[in-house]
Structure formats: C-alpha cells, structure tokens
Amino acid sequence: MSIDFETATFKDFENISDYDIAQRANYFYEFLDHMKSRGHMNYRLKNTSGSNATLNIDIANQNKNYVSFVSSDYLGFTQHPKVKEAAIEGIEKYGTGTGASPLIGGYFDYHNAIEKKIADFFGRDEEEVILFTTGYAANSATLQILMQKEDIAILDMGVHASVHEGCAFTNKKTFPHNNLEALEHVLKVSENTYRTKLVILDGVYSQEGDTSRAKEIYDLVKKYNAYLMVDDAHGVGVMGKTGRGALEDDGLLDKVDFITGTCSKTFGNLGGYVIANKKIASFLKFQSRQHIFSVTAPPSSFGILKAIDLIDEEPFWKDKLWDNINYFKTGLNDLGLDTGITCSAIIPVKIGDQSKMWDIGRILLEEGVYTNPIMYPAVPRKDARIRMTVTARHEKEHLDKTLNVFDDINKKLHIAKK
C-alpha cells in the first residue's frame, strides 16, 4: 500500500491492512521525516522556558524565542507568583507525589479542598466533585462507567475526542453541530428504546471557538427526559460575567446534570473534574477504573486553590484577555482572513487547503510565531486551519508582530476571503 505523503494526515497511518505494528511504525516514521524535510513539523517542539506569551524553543539545536499561540493557559496563571507560591507550599508540606490511588491511600486533604473549592466556584456546593488526573480522563472515564450497552449517548459532532472515547461501550449518535432539529429527531427516536439518554455538549468548542446552544438544548433534553452533560474546559475563566464559563452566560450553572472540565487551562495546573449529584459522584469514585487505579494529583495541585480564588480576586486578567481577543480577531478580519464563528479565546484562521496550511505553519515558525496547523480528523478534510489561542499574557507587540506576518503571508499565498 502507498500513501501520498503530500496529502496524508496522521489518521491515515492508524491502521494499514496487512501491515503489522512494526511496519506501520516504520512507514509513519518515513512520513514524519518527510514532514521535517518540508519544514512542516509544528508539533512536539521542545520548549525550554514555560507556558507564556513567548516560548524559548529548541529546533535543530538552535534555541530561539517565539510568540506563542499554542497554550490554553488563558489567564496566564501558570506564571502567576501567587499560584507558584501555593504550588511550592504544597510540595513543601506534602512532598512531590502522593504514592497511591485515591481508593488505597492517595486521597489527601488538599484533594478534598480542591473538590469543595470547585463545587463552590460553580455554585454546586450541594453536589460533589470527583477529581481525575487529566481533563481527558474525566470525560472518558466517567462516560465509560455511566453509559453501557442499554444506554445511548447523543453527541454534538464538535465535542472533544475524550467524549468519543468514553462512549466506546455504549450506543452513540451524533448530530450536526448546534442543530436542534437534528437533536430532537434523535431524542424522539430514542425516547422509548434506551434505558439512559445522555446528551453531551462542549461549552466552548475547541476547534471552532464558538459556544453551544446550551439553553435551548437544555429545554429540549428535559422535554424528552434525558440527561445533559457539558464539558466547559475552554469556557471557564473566559466566558461568563464572573468567569464561571459558558454555562454562566446561559444561566445553566445550577441546572445541567453533569459539568466536566479541566484544571490544565484557566486553573493553571493538571487534572480534570466532574460535578454530579452526590450519589452519582460516589458511584464514580468506587466504579471508575481510571480513578481507582490512577495515582492522585501531586501536591503542586495546591496551586489550583489559589488560581480559582484569583478569578474573583483579580478580574482584570479576564478583562485583558478580552482586550487581546478583540484586538487580534479584528486585526485578522481587517486583513480579510476567515476566523469563522469564534466568540472565545480560540481563534482559527481557516485555510481549507491542507498543503497551503502546512506552508503557512512553516512560514509563521520561520518568522518567530508558534501556532498549530490543524487538519483531519480534528476538522473536516476541506477545513484545514491555523488554530491559535490568545491569552492575557500577550502584549500588543506580540499580536502586532503576528498580524504583520499574516499580512506578508497573505500577499504571498492569497489566503484572504474573496
């Protein structure tokens, strides 16, 4: 079998008929070498500084500084002195790790404090939070144990990959992004067929940067006696009057059945969480294999407690973030570039043509701007784009430099909308 390296995606190498594991790996290695030779390897670059508006990156043993649009540390709390101090305090008190899973001795008082802090932050203090080692695990582990062969998960097509993985053991239907008519059709057909019906949305969608129609969907879900889960990983700290996320904007913080999220973005750390009623949360704590058999979050997670406080104590970070979002998006649009329907800190520049996307990613990197080219299967094949995330740590000089590079690219490659 032969794969055209010029048009290939990572997905094409996932499984190749008649190729065993070594042959598939060797063939994929050839593809990676091809990408490197073309300057198209914008992935797994070695960062020698830290998550910030600029990164020091080691490429071919040359360490240079780049403007970065690859981090989801939206409020810049990984670099906040008070968050660092709290993380150090946790290490000094407890050491560097927990040494066990939560069930057999790895559940510390600071885990309990984080759970209560997250519940209180979302106004769900009557419910419980269960912590996972990552946001990905929070979704996949929860869904794997809650949804079985008698049930059905109904997914917006734009939900995160972790949700799809979590639905591997249940029936699954997808509906076109934010299409209420299609969702109602699936709900109606499923109404008397499955034991549990769970609709799953993102608060902010990770590729388009837009929000769900959660308020309308909530009413529809309850009409058909289904449950609603919302993953607002990209909304917390960014959306909502007080930074409680997209659900705050929709007035649904106290209404949806499950809220999932991550501590790796606005909370500036590592981990994921699920908010549910106390009985379901207890069920998860004793049934979820990924929770039972994974070591718990390290003592540096103490920083999460301070990061959550800072969302209320220092709201100017969110204000600056939105100043940056509006300035950068306006600048891109003034160049005629297509940023789609984004209304968040995630800003895609839609290209369409995958080959041109690779060239744009290469030029940006050559000019000192680190971005992520995104292709199938993360997005449809004809919807390749450069995906960027804006943070509160960016300064106007960083944004202007990037806009100037895009202006030059447009003059060379003609990527503006006609």
Side-chain angles (χ1 to χ4, degrees):
M1 179 179 178
S2 178
I3 296 175
D4 183 357
F5 284 0
E6 292 299 320
T7 60
T9 70
F10 297 148
K11 180 74 173 177
D12 295 318
F13 298 88
E14 189 175 273
N15 188 26
I16 303 174
S17 299
D18 302 324
Y19 278 35
D20 69 13
I21 186 171
Q23 290 170 314
R24 294 203 312 274
N26 289 340
Y27 199 20
F28 184 62
Y29 200 81
E30 290 178 28
F31 174 61
L32 292 180
D33 278 343
H34 172 78
M35 288 184 64
K36 291 174 185 176
S37 71
R38 299 293 299 274
H40 294 162
M41 186 51 75
N42 289 57
Y43 309 103
R44 294 186 64 87
L45 300 182
K46 193 193 304 181
N47 175 5
T48 62
S49 51
S51 177
N52 217 323
T54 64
L55 303 179
N56 293 327
I57 302 173
D58 187 335
I59 301 177
N61 295 318
Q62 292 188 341
N63 201 297
K64 297 181 180 179
N65 188 258
Y66 295 78
V67 178
S68 169
F69 292 94
V70 300
S71 172
S72 296
D73 178 21
Y74 295 121
L75 300 183
F77 285 171
T78 64
Q79 303 303 319
H80 197 294
K82 292 181 180 179
V83 175
K84 289 182 179 181
E85 288 171 9
I88 292 168
E89 179 187 342
I91 291 173
E92 288 179 340
K93 182 175 181 179
Y94 298 94
T96 59
T98 62
S101 70
L103 205 63
I104 60 168
Y107 184 68
F108 291 14
D109 58 352
Y110 69 84
H111 295 122
N112 181 260
I114 293 170
E115 291 170 351
K116 290 184 179 303
K117 177 78 77 171
I118 291 173
D120 183 63
F121 177 76
F122 287 105
R124 308 277 289 234
D125 49 311
E126 294 299 317
E127 300 189 346
E128 285 196 12
V129 172
I130 174 172
L131 294 177
F132 290 85
T133 49
T134 67
Y136 191 102
N139 281 335
S140 63
T142 297
L143 291 166
Q144 282 177 24
I145 195 63
L146 291 184
M147 304 300 289
Q148 302 296 322
K149 59 183 175 60
E150 297 87 357
D151 309 315
I152 186 168
I154 305 169
L155 283 52
D156 186 294
M157 290 181 69
V159 296
H160 193 264
S162 57
V163 172
H164 287 278
E165 180 176 297
C167 296
F169 304 130
T170 191
N171 301 285
K172 182 178 76 172
K173 289 285 186 182
T174 60
F175 61 95
H177 181 46
N178 273 339
N179 188 317
L180 267 66
E181 183 177 322
L183 170 59
E184 182 164 22
H185 173 74
V186 177
L187 284 167
K188 190 177 294 184
V189 170
S190 307
E191 189 172 15
N192 299 312
T193 307
Y194 298 97
R195 181 180 61 185
T196 300
K197 302 175 291 297
L198 175 63
V199 176
I200 308 170
L201 315 172
D202 283 1
V204 173
Y205 287 88
S206 61
Q207 296 304 329
E208 295 300 330
D210 67 326
T211 57
S212 68
R213 297 173 64 181
K215 193 169 185 178
E216 297 163 277
I217 289 174
Y218 174 81
D219 293 337
L220 199 56
V221 165
K222 293 309 165 184
K223 175 182 175 182
Y224 288 94
N225 299 309
Y227 295 91
L228 180 62
M229 173 184 284
V230 178
D231 173 6
D232 204 17
H234 293 279
V236 173
V238 180
M239 314 296 288
K241 183 179 180 181
T242 66
R244 266 64 177 173
L247 289 174
E248 182 179 20
D249 282 329
D250 290 324
L252 295 176
L253 279 175
D254 62 340
K255 292 182 173 62
V256 299
D257 301 290
F258 303 92
I259 298 175
T260 71
T262 181
C263 302
S264 66
K265 296 177 172 55
T266 293
F267 295 167
N269 210 287
L270 178 70
Y273 56 85
V274 177
I275 306 175
N277 71 50
K278 291 184 177 182
K279 292 180 180 179
I280 291 178
S282 295
F283 180 77
L284 288 170
K285 289 173 183 178
F286 286 87
Q287 296 293 332
S288 169
R289 291 180 292 276
Q290 292 91 332
H291 185 73
I292 295 169
F293 297 109
S294 293
V295 71
T296 48
S300 58
S301 299
F302 230 69
I304 295 170
L305 296 167
K306 191 59 195 176
I308 294 174
D309 285 340
L310 287 170
I311 293 175
D312 289 331
E313 292 173 0
E314 299 183 357
F316 56 81
W317 291 110
K318 178 171 170 283
D319 294 339
K320 186 182 178 192
L321 170 63
W322 274 100
D323 285 345
N324 286 342
I325 292 169
N326 293 328
Y327 182 84
F328 191 52
K329 182 181 174 184
T330 298
L332 291 167
N333 293 156
D334 286 346
L335 293 174
L337 303 182
D338 183 2
T339 57
I341 54 176
T342 181
C343 58
S344 68
I346 299 166
I347 300 183
V349 173
K350 298 200 167 192
I351 309 301
D353 180 77
Q354 181 175 302
S355 177
K356 193 174 283 189
M357 173 204 71
W358 288 128
D359 288 337
I360 294 167
R362 172 181 54 78
I363 295 170
L364 284 163
L365 204 58
E366 289 172 350
E367 296 298 323
V369 180
Y370 184 16
T371 63
N372 289 143
I374 302 293
M375 57 183 171
Y376 179 83
V379 295
R381 288 189 182 275
K382 295 182 179 180
D383 201 15
R385 79 275 304 271
I386 302 294
R387 180 186 183 274
M388 295 175 286
T389 50
V390 178
T391 76
R393 295 283 174 178
H394 284 113
E395 301 295 343
K396 289 293 190 295
E397 63 188 81
H398 303 134
L399 305 178
D400 286 337
K401 174 179 178 176
T402 307
L403 291 171
N404 288 335
V405 175
F406 268 110
D407 190 24
D408 291 340
I409 289 172
N410 184 42
K411 290 171 182 175
K412 294 175 185 176
L413 300 179
H414 308 292
I415 60 174
K417 295 180 291 184
K418 294 181 180 179

